[in-house]
């Protein structure tokens, strides 16, 4: 499985995506690699090609982007067998945003 993110030049952002991939591995019966639509490597199409050359029977992309659009489109066109929908408008995303809002207000 490939966790596909938008990408960033910020190393802290890339580390967060790697952390998300490690957490995702706890819930899926497969190793999870990371790939990016822009600004970082490996790029999503390259990760798909690498998975195929390594013998993957099916290549699955889990979108780590919030909404349909440019970055989700790159993942959709990368040649994977399955591509998940973006994270929003799932109500759980709104719940996380609300939790962060309350924490920020409480912090002052």
């Amino acid at each position: 499985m490939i966790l596909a993110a938008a990408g960033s030049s910020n190393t802290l952002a890339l580390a967060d995506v790697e952390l998300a991939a490690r957490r995702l591995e706890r819930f899926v019966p497969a190793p999870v690699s990371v790939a990016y639509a822009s600004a970082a490597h490996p790029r999503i199409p390259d990760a798909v090609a690498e998975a195929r050359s390594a013998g993957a029977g099916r290549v699955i992309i889990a979108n780590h982007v919030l909404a349909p659009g440019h970055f989700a489109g790159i993942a959709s066109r990368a040649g994977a067998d399955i591509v998940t929908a973006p994270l929003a408008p799932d109500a759980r995303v709104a719940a996380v945003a609300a939790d962060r809002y309350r924490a920020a207000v409480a912090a002052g």
Side-chain angles (χ1 to χ4, degrees):
M1 174 179 279
I2 299 166
L3 184 63
S8 177
S9 59
N10 183 311
T11 58
L12 294 176
L14 300 180
D16 283 347
V17 176
E18 288 288 342
L19 178 59
R22 302 297 66 84
R23 289 178 174 167
L24 179 58
E25 282 181 323
R26 297 178 194 165
F27 299 100
V28 297
V32 178
S33 61
V34 173
Y36 302 97
S38 70
H41 292 278
R43 295 294 168 89
I44 299 167
D46 296 335
V48 170
E50 181 165 328
R52 291 209 187 281
S53 69
R58 285 195 312 178
V59 178
I60 300 169
I61 290 176
N63 257 311
H64 192 58
V65 298
L66 279 178
H70 180 71
F71 297 128
I74 290 171
S76 293
R77 294 185 299 274
D81 299 299
I82 298 170
V83 180
T84 68
L87 298 172
D90 190 301
R92 291 169 290 186
V93 174
V96 169
D99 287 344
R100 302 269 166 83
Y101 166 80
R102 285 190 290 274
V105 168

